[in-house]
Amino acid sequence: MHPTQAFPTALLTKACALAIIATAALGLSARAHTLKIANQGDPMSMDPHSLQESFQLSFLGNIYEPLIGRDRNFALTPMLATRWEATSPTTWRFQLRQGVQFHDGSPFTADDVLFSYQRTQSESSDTKLYVAPIKAMRKIDNYTVEMETAQPMPILPDLISGWLVMGKSWSEKNKSTTPADVRKGTENFASLNANGTGPFQLKSRQPGVRTVLKPFDGWWGQKEHNLTEVVFNPIANNATRVAALVSGEVDLMEPVPLQDIARLQANPNLQVLQKPELRTMYLGLDVGRDELLYSNVKGKNPLKDVRVRQALYQAIDINTLTSKIMRGAAQPAGIIVAPGVRGYEASLDKRLPYDVAAAKKLLADAGYPNGFELGLHCPTDRYVNDQAICQSVTAMWTRVGVKTTLYAETKALYLPRAFKRDVSAFLLGWQPASNDAQNTLWALLNTPASDGRGRFNLGGYANPKLDELTREIGVEIDAAKRQQLMKAAWQQVQDDMPLLPLHNQNLAWGVKRSIDVVQQPDNSQPLRYIHVR
């Protein structure tokens, strides 16, 4: 008798069933793709209104969604709003997408948009710049809202493309109706938990260690990715982060240390994706206080004198910074806005010459022939080579007589300090949320006001003429006239030098060759476009 003929039918049936299950499991395993990502820093909160930091908002943009977003080509695209139109010079109407659910199963309606507007206006919100031009928001029906601006605002759709919407019922249930105040170091339920409408939902969160996302099966959009899980780990050490990519411990990481780009490019299993970023790196200066916090000068503020600011500017050897510190992966900047941003003015993108003798003379003319002491604050895990940039600038300023002490710390400590204005000189980067330079002027260089204007003007610069130019730019529809106003504004900034431009940095992502990603010029990482081959 053939051996199989002696095998009991029941056992044979069970064995076949187990084989089918095993085969199916193998098939599922073959289709299961866990994406492992590393960055030099960690999102500081899961609250989308708590911190205006591009990395955090990029990460949370996979969980929460705006009314209008960006597509693969960085063009505006419908998200939670399906269409929008200006019904008057100061009124915009948005038709909301129907059938959308939050991750907890609750429906998305106009009530959530109005709630998010009110929440973003809270004193503790760090993202109010997105909705500051909006004078009033009205619910027309469950899926229609109107936004009224105080003055014509043609770039409103661009501006709110970075504004993420939260659920009203979930926030109320979990006592998170206002954002945690990053400046005060407070937290609430939304700091560690999330409930958005996006293609991915939060599975687990261990701050500073590991954050896990999983696809949201109820997402309204068409699925383009093939991920089953996303595991994010912050790895601050450059060498460790590179080693993790080379060994396969992570699949995607950024930024790639500049000294390792060529080595990773030579690896047949890896690719380095590079392109210019819409971010300008700059040095901020406290020009508002009557006495500096970090200086030996008492009773006055040397940074109030434009000659001192120009001396610090001309003491910076930008060629050394871009060629040696940034290894050619940056372009010197003459204004605080990068090429590719609407409102960029090429005719003014020219730097003052590096000139040690001129810097020393300017200091002497300002009454500081022997220089003075100054503190420079800097993050260690936020920008490409941030600490190395500050170390180099520290030496350059000391060389002309401004004896500079460097205070370097992780962004978790640095950003709250900077936002509280507990700094005298500091390194930051900025890319306009709307991809329009009016936002840079409004947020970084306008006189601070209660409506959110100048919220990131950490040096306390105030110029009524620039404030008025910014207002005129915001309402001007004619492109040529608008650009002339932009030119006048940037000329005013160059004359006053409240911020010292450094460079526009390049993006550098290390990725396995088997992974297709979309690298956006604002350094966002939309997981919905990632495909593992």
Side-chain angles (χ1 to χ4, degrees), residues 8-73:
T9 302
L11 291 178
L12 182 61
T13 302
K14 184 176 181 180
C16 289
L18 290 173
I20 291 170
I21 292 171
T23 302
L26 286 172
L28 287 173
S29 176
R31 294 192 300 271
H33 295 294
T34 294
L35 181 73
K36 295 166 289 185
I37 303 178
N39 188 284
Q40 63 180 347
D42 194 40
M44 292 171 62
S45 174
M46 294 292 101
D47 189 327
H49 303 147
S50 67
L51 182 64
Q52 180 62 39
E53 189 214 5
S54 57
F55 169 68
Q56 176 163 307
L57 293 174
S58 164
F59 187 88
L60 294 179
N62 296 295
I63 301 172
Y64 293 94
E65 295 178 301
L67 298 182
I68 304 168
R70 298 280 179 179
D71 64 14
R72 284 176 172 267
N73 300 313

Side-chain angles (χ1 to χ4, degrees), residues 356-487:
V356 171
K360 289 181 176 179
K361 184 178 186 305
L362 284 163
L363 288 172
D365 292 345
Y368 302 97
N370 299 316
F372 59 92
E373 295 175 9
L374 180 66
L376 172 60
H377 282 83
C378 182
T380 60
D381 56 355
R382 178 60 191 93
Y383 307 107
V384 178
N385 281 5
D386 42 17
Q387 186 172 0
I389 292 168
C390 289
Q391 288 171 336
S392 185
V393 169
T394 296
M396 293 172 185
W397 283 355
T398 299
R399 190 177 304 132
V400 300
V402 179
K403 305 169 188 66
T404 307
T405 300
L406 176 60
Y407 300 93
E409 53 193 352
T410 65
K411 71 175 183 179
L413 298 173
Y414 170 77
L415 290 179
R417 180 191 303 280
F419 292 159
K420 288 188 295 186
R421 293 189 60 206
D422 182 15
V423 288
S424 294
F426 51 94
L427 176 76
L428 278 176
W430 186 266
Q431 54 185 4
S434 58
N435 197 34
D436 188 283
Q438 194 266 357
N439 169 259
T440 302
L441 294 168
W442 191 91
L444 288 190
L445 293 155
N446 274 203
T447 305
S450 59
D451 62 358
R453 186 182 327 158
R455 187 170 179 85
F456 300 95
N457 178 358
L458 306 181
Y461 171 65
N463 184 328
K465 182 179 178 181
L466 185 67
D467 294 348
E468 178 58 23
L469 280 169
T470 304
R471 188 198 68 77
E472 293 177 16
I473 290 167
V475 302
E476 183 57 63
I477 297 175
D478 183 274
K481 291 180 180 178
R482 192 174 194 268
Q483 192 60 33
Q484 283 302 112
L485 291 169
M486 282 284 189
K487 184 175 181 179

Side-chain angles (χ1 to χ4, degrees), residues 13-179:
T13 302
K14 184 176 181 180
C16 289
L18 290 173
I20 291 170
I21 292 171
T23 302
L26 286 172
L28 287 173
S29 176
R31 294 192 300 271
H33 295 294
T34 294
L35 181 73
K36 295 166 289 185
I37 303 178
N39 188 284
Q40 63 180 347
D42 194 40
M44 292 171 62
S45 174
M46 294 292 101
D47 189 327
H49 303 147
S50 67
L51 182 64
Q52 180 62 39
E53 189 214 5
S54 57
F55 169 68
Q56 176 163 307
L57 293 174
S58 164
F59 187 88
L60 294 179
N62 296 295
I63 301 172
Y64 293 94
E65 295 178 301
L67 298 182
I68 304 168
R70 298 280 179 179
D71 64 14
R72 284 176 172 267
N73 300 313
F74 205 59
L76 292 180
T77 190
M79 295 292 282
L80 292 179
T82 56
R83 61 181 184 272
W84 53 94
E85 62 176 338
T87 57
S88 79
T90 58
T91 306
W92 288 83
R93 178 169 286 201
F94 294 81
Q95 193 66 42
L96 304 181
R97 191 178 297 278
Q98 299 187 33
V100 175
Q101 289 187 340
F102 284 93
H103 298 158
D104 66 353
S106 59
F108 161 73
T109 69
D111 291 333
D112 301 302
V113 179
L114 267 65
F115 165 77
S116 295
Y117 168 62
Q118 294 162 357
R119 191 178 193 271
T120 310
Q121 286 184 310
S122 303
E123 178 58 32
S124 59
S125 169
D126 202 47
T127 59
K128 61 181 64 178
L129 65 88
Y130 293 113
V131 299
I134 302 171
K135 176 183 175 182
M137 189 178 295
R138 293 180 290 273
K139 172 183 174 181
I140 306 304
D141 58 42
N142 277 343
Y143 296 102
T144 310
V145 296
E146 275 189 352
M147 300 182 188
E148 181 184 349
T149 57
Q151 55 190 7
M153 192 67 180
I155 65 167
L156 185 66
D158 299 85
L159 183 60
I160 64 171
S161 65
W163 177 49
L164 303 176
V165 175
M166 287 187 74
K168 182 176 186 289
S169 62
W170 181 85
S171 299
E172 290 177 341
K173 175 184 175 182
N174 294 294
K175 298 180 175 58
S176 299
T177 54
T178 58

Side-chain angles (χ1 to χ4, degrees), residues 274-335:
Q274 297 175 274
K275 69 165 54 173
E277 186 180 14
L278 299 176
R279 183 193 310 277
T280 301
M281 300 301 301
Y282 67 91
L283 293 165
L285 302 172
D286 182 353
V287 300
R289 280 191 175 90
D290 292 330
E291 181 178 298
L292 290 178
L293 297 179
Y294 296 89
S295 176
N296 65 333
V297 179
K298 303 304 176 185
K300 62 178 179 178
N301 179 355
L303 298 182
K304 282 180 175 287
D305 193 319
V306 70
R307 292 170 296 183
V308 173
R309 302 197 293 272
Q310 183 175 338
L312 295 175
Y313 188 134
Q314 294 200 255
I316 296 171
D317 183 352
I318 196 65
N319 290 331
T320 292
L321 287 182
T322 55
S323 65
K324 293 184 179 180
I325 304 300
M326 296 300 293
R327 295 176 179 250
Q331 301 75 43
I335 54 177

